[in-house]
Amino acid sequence: TLMHVGVALLRVGAAEEALETFEKAAYIYENSGQGVHPDLALTLMHVGQAYELEAENVQRVGPKKEWLRQIEEYSNQAYDFYEKALEMFQERVEGNEPDLDVANVVHAMGNVHNIRGEYMEALRKYKYALEHKMKILGEDDPSVGWTKNNIGNAFKGLYKVDEALKWYNEALSTVSKIFGPDHPEVAHVHWNIALCYQTKGEVDASKRKLGWHNSWPFKFFSAATKKRIVHEGKDFEAMVKHLNHAFDVFVKRLGEDHVSTQRATQAIMAVRELVRD
């Protein structure tokens, strides 16, 4: 069906093709002449996910104002569809009973807040979704693990890196038990942990810089040397370990042309330059 095709396209990162497919499905359901189709709300949520992926895939090159405009446009579209889906899901829920579709779309709304840099609101959405998912699915479910991962993303955005790492490691434990170490979902958590260690290095370095800039040797270090000081020691080693794991899985399971593989490749090259310098 169109829905299955669209979901498959989302999984390989083909946002534009997925969007076109889901919009066709939504049009069919809205014009079926049989009242509200039971799959319409889910399809609208998938349209939102395609727009969300478009926002994530915007190339951060050229004038910053332009790519920020594109991200805002796609994320606003995503949120509009999520709100429509949420309203339809909530109409069928009795009282305050937890509902998995409601939890999933609230989680997705948290993703949009995260993209916008609205990390506190993202956390509120994620924690609502996590509470309801755990009531329905228990702790050992990949959906629960992925919400924990995204809570880590929000804490990383707030530069609360130790809290972020706690949530990432919980997520990694959950998805690894289910999928094993060489699954793309697991690799994405390793990727996020690598990014978190990079942020941790930057945060720690910014604290040390106050002392360094008043120390005469630091003034004469090259830019490359300063970067290496920022990312050295155990945190740097942890970053590289998780980055390499993510890269290896992305290449094997998703292929060289997938957006996740391309991003990891750029990061690997940057690390090699850093070490070489």
Side-chain angles (χ1 to χ4, degrees):
T1 66
L2 285 173
M3 286 274 281
H4 291 110
V5 172
V7 170
L9 289 166
L10 276 181
R11 286 176 177 166
V12 298
E16 189 172 341
E17 294 87 343
L19 179 58
E20 183 179 347
T21 303
F22 289 132
E23 286 179 334
K24 286 179 181 177
Y27 178 82
I28 292 170
Y29 292 148
E30 288 172 334
N31 295 277
S32 64
Q34 301 174 356
V36 179
H37 193 282
D39 288 336
L40 178 58
L42 185 59
T43 305
L44 294 177
M45 186 179 81
H46 286 323
V47 173
Q49 289 174 321
Y51 275 117
E52 180 192 325
L53 186 57
E54 288 273 35
E56 290 178 350
N57 289 348
V58 169
Q59 296 292 311
R60 273 77 164 167
V61 295
K64 184 176 181 180
K65 185 177 180 180
E66 176 58 25
W67 54 258
L68 282 175
R69 183 196 63 77
Q70 292 179 32
I71 292 172
E72 182 180 13
E73 181 179 317
Y74 286 133
S75 63
N76 287 345
Q77 291 269 44
Y79 209 84
D80 286 345
F81 278 97
Y82 289 151
E83 287 184 320
K84 291 175 185 176
L86 178 61
E87 184 179 353
M88 296 179 74
F89 286 140
Q90 287 177 326
E91 285 177 356
R92 72 183 190 203
V93 177
E94 295 183 7
N96 294 319
E97 286 295 311
D99 181 86
L100 189 56
D101 287 325
V102 170
N104 284 334
V105 77
V106 171
H107 170 109
M109 294 167 87
N111 293 344
V112 176
H113 287 296
N114 207 53
I115 290 169
R116 293 172 174 170
E118 299 162 354
Y119 301 116
M120 291 305 298
E121 187 58 35
L123 276 174
R124 281 189 280 272
K125 293 287 194 295
Y126 290 144
K127 288 187 175 182
Y128 174 95
L130 181 64
E131 178 186 351
H132 285 248
K133 286 183 180 184
M134 288 179 67
K135 286 179 181 177
I136 299 165
L137 303 170
E139 293 205 26
D140 294 329
D141 186 272
S143 183
V144 170
W146 202 244
T147 298
K148 289 180 178 181
N149 172 85
N150 287 21
I151 289 174
N153 288 344
F155 276 117
K156 181 170 72 69
L158 292 167
Y159 293 98
K160 295 183 178 181
V161 289
D162 291 332
E163 188 71 12
L165 284 170
K166 184 194 86 170
W167 284 98
Y168 284 140
N169 282 310
E170 284 191 27
L172 184 62
S173 175
T174 299
V175 296
S176 295
K177 276 191 274 185
I178 297 160
F179 296 121
D182 297 326
H183 191 281
E185 295 290 333
V186 178
H188 279 295
V189 182
H190 280 285
W191 166 255
N192 286 331
I193 293 174
L195 294 181
C196 194
Y197 274 113
Q198 180 190 27
T199 300
K200 188 174 189 297
E202 291 168 354
V203 170
D204 291 345
S206 69
K207 294 176 182 177
R208 297 197 301 268
K209 275 182 182 178
L210 293 175
W212 286 351
H213 281 302
N214 294 324
S215 176
W216 71 267
F218 186 76
K219 298 176 183 178
F220 299 98
F221 289 166
S222 68
T225 303
K226 290 178 183 178
K227 286 182 180 179
R228 193 160 58 246
I229 291 173
V230 168
H231 295 112
E232 64 181 5
K234 291 183 178 179
D235 287 344
F236 180 79
E237 292 172 4
M239 180 189 76
V240 172
K241 180 187 77 170
H242 288 285
L243 175 59
N244 283 331
H245 184 105
F247 174 77
D248 290 343
V249 175
F250 289 154
V251 171
K252 291 176 185 174
R253 300 295 298 274
L254 301 179
E256 295 182 359
D257 295 331
H258 193 278
V259 63
S260 296
T261 309
Q262 292 172 356
R263 288 173 181 166
T265 301
Q266 291 172 355
I268 289 284
M269 291 174 65
V271 167
R272 288 174 181 170
E273 284 291 322
L274 192 60
V275 173
R276 187 169 64 192
D277 290 338

